[in-house]
Amino acid sequence: MARVRTGVRVVGAVLAAVLGASLVGCSSTGGKRAEDRAKAAQAGRPAVSTPRWTFAMVTHAGDGDTFWDIVQKGAKEAAAKDNINFVYAHDDQAQQQAQFVQNAIDQKVDGIVVSLAKPEALKDVIGKAVKAGIPVITVNSGSAQSAEYGALTHIGQDEQIAGEAVGTELTKRGKKKAVCVLHEQGNVGHEQRCAGAKKTFGGTMENLYVEGTNMPSVQAAIQAKLQADPSVDAIVTLGAPFAPTAVKAKDAAGSKAEVDTFDLNESVARDLKSGALGFAVDQQPYLQGYEAIDLLWLYRYNANVLGGGRPVLTGPQIVTADEAGKLEEFIKRGSR
């Protein structure tokens, strides 16, 4: 499988430890078991005794996208806990993404996690996985199509709701004219974010499409927009890597527009604290990766399914300078 990366890391059995701690007053044995599981994980052993199943994750991540590094980190750590052989592949082209899913089917994996930024391109191959008896969970993008395509559940934020949270926050901040910067044309989740923001924003908002794989081009496009329209007082980027580029564009244009963004990384946290950014929308990518693998394991082990036919939401959470400071420890270790 071209461009496939594998990896397994060991972490503490967080859920087991929490549950065990809550039962210490009732059962010293329960607390001891939780402690033993945590020690086993730290020593390099899985926290479960189930078979070593293989789960594949296929996403629409582009190269160097820090958001997906965090998703993958969560998935790897859940895989380590659950004794899973974790296989990861990514491509920002939907056709190649579909081929990776087909490769996973051909290799008879025990479960598949897939993001649906461009759902129609993946509909048929997901149907093949389901028909082959391979459980599928969708993650991050494609919540509206997940159940229709036969996935067990979807894990992520509702992009429309997340966008609405942005529009509400911009209105609270007194903004009047905003630009929503879309860096991946055809990504349904991105369109939903901007549409949601427009719905609840008290001012006016327009979309700006940029070539997300070319940061100098992104900066030039934002800078040109700000120079052409000095009344713009807010720029919203749809991914953490684009936030500092928007800040550079704003400074070069001599604009006083506030830059806000979806998603967190260390750079965004730093810029939130310094005031270079106004706020960020966190959808907890670590949780998306971790829960996707954990829920596949639960389904294989115990036929458990979460969501009741609805997506399992991981966001949105508005993060400002104060919240960024509280999350800094987790952001630096790459789990927020």
Side-chain angles (χ1 to χ4, degrees), residues 4 14 56 72 81 84 111 138 171 177 196 205 228 237 265 284-285 303 326-328:
V4 172
V14 179
Q72 190 181 174
K81 175 181 69 70
I84 299 301
T138 59
T171 302
K177 192 168 187 179
M205 176 177 287
T237 64
N265 62 15
Q284 302 186 96
K326 296 172 184 176
L327 296 174
E328 190 170 20

Side-chain angles (χ1 to χ4, degrees), residues 156-274:
Q157 71 180 5
D158 183 298
E159 302 293 14
Q160 179 77 21
I161 292 173
E164 291 174 7
V166 168
T168 300
E169 184 67 20
L170 289 173
T171 302
K172 284 171 54 180
R173 290 167 176 259
K175 303 305 177 184
K176 302 299 182 184
K177 192 168 187 179
V179 172
C180 193
V181 182
L182 296 95
H183 61 266
E184 185 181 339
Q185 292 194 40
N187 186 318
V188 294
H190 290 183
E191 296 287 349
Q192 289 167 347
R193 289 178 183 181
C194 293
K198 287 180 183 179
K199 181 179 178 181
T200 57
F201 182 38
T204 60
M205 176 177 287
E206 61 181 278
N207 291 352
L208 177 65
Y209 293 90
V210 298
E211 186 181 348
T213 56
N214 185 337
M215 280 300 186
S217 174
V218 172
Q219 181 175 337
I222 297 173
Q223 182 178 335
K225 178 60 182 176
L226 292 173
Q227 289 172 331
D229 189 353
S231 66
V232 172
D233 58 6
I235 296 289
V236 179
T237 64
L238 302 186
F242 300 91
T245 299
V247 171
K248 291 178 184 177
K250 180 197 81 166
D251 292 343
S255 169
K256 294 183 179 180
E258 177 180 285
V259 178
D260 306 301
T261 191
F262 281 78
D263 304 330
L264 283 174
N265 62 15
E266 194 167 351
S267 173
V268 167
R270 185 167 57 247
D271 286 346
L272 284 170
K273 291 178 67 178
S274 72

Side-chain angles (χ1 to χ4, degrees), residues 245-314:
T245 299
V247 171
K248 291 178 184 177
K250 180 197 81 166
D251 292 343
S255 169
K256 294 183 179 180
E258 177 180 285
V259 178
D260 306 301
T261 191
F262 281 78
D263 304 330
L264 283 174
N265 62 15
E266 194 167 351
S267 173
V268 167
R270 185 167 57 247
D271 286 346
L272 284 170
K273 291 178 67 178
S274 72
L277 294 175
F279 66 89
V281 182
D282 184 22
Q283 60 174 305
Q284 302 186 96
Y286 177 93
L287 188 61
Q288 291 180 13
Y290 190 98
E291 286 302 316
I293 297 301
D294 220 26
L295 290 184
L296 275 180
W297 177 83
L298 282 166
Y299 181 78
R300 297 288 316 197
Y301 173 65
N302 205 44
N304 291 124
V305 179
L306 285 184
R310 296 181 179 272
V312 178
L313 299 183
T314 63

